Amino acid sequence: MASQREIEPDPYQAPKTAFVVGRDGEGHWLAVETHGLGGGLFTNQDAALRYARFETEGREGAVRLVAEPIALRL
């Protein structure tokens, strides 16, 4: 009987994209990529969530809605 081994992640594979969605200090809706490589300013929460879900290909747990203010760094 073969034993099960845990599969280790490939260190050469790029990390999966994830987003945080929330408002900035002025109340604008933002979707910010967690590695700082992307994001945007949106007219409403639905648009920000739709963008983040599209960019993460709908992956479970890849988009997080937060209550505290966030910032988009340009």
Side-chain angles (χ1 to χ4, degrees):
M1 178 157 58
S3 64
Q4 288 185 333
R5 293 186 317 179
E6 190 172 317
I7 298 173
E8 294 183 24
D10 183 353
Y12 299 104
Q13 188 178 28
K16 300 283 186 187
T17 303
F19 279 82
V20 174
V21 173
R23 290 184 173 203
D24 65 8
E26 297 176 2
H28 304 112
W29 282 100
L30 302 173
V32 180
E33 200 267 326
T34 57
H35 294 97
L37 300 176
L41 176 66
F42 298 89
T43 57
N44 57 49
Q45 178 182 359
D46 288 338
L49 287 169
R50 190 171 35 254
Y51 167 78
R53 289 181 183 134
F54 175 80
E55 289 296 316
T56 59
E57 300 174 341
R59 229 177 40 260
E60 184 72 30
V63 178
R64 190 168 47 108
L65 185 62
V66 296
E68 66 272 2
I70 60 174
L72 179 62
R73 297 191 175 132
L74 303 174

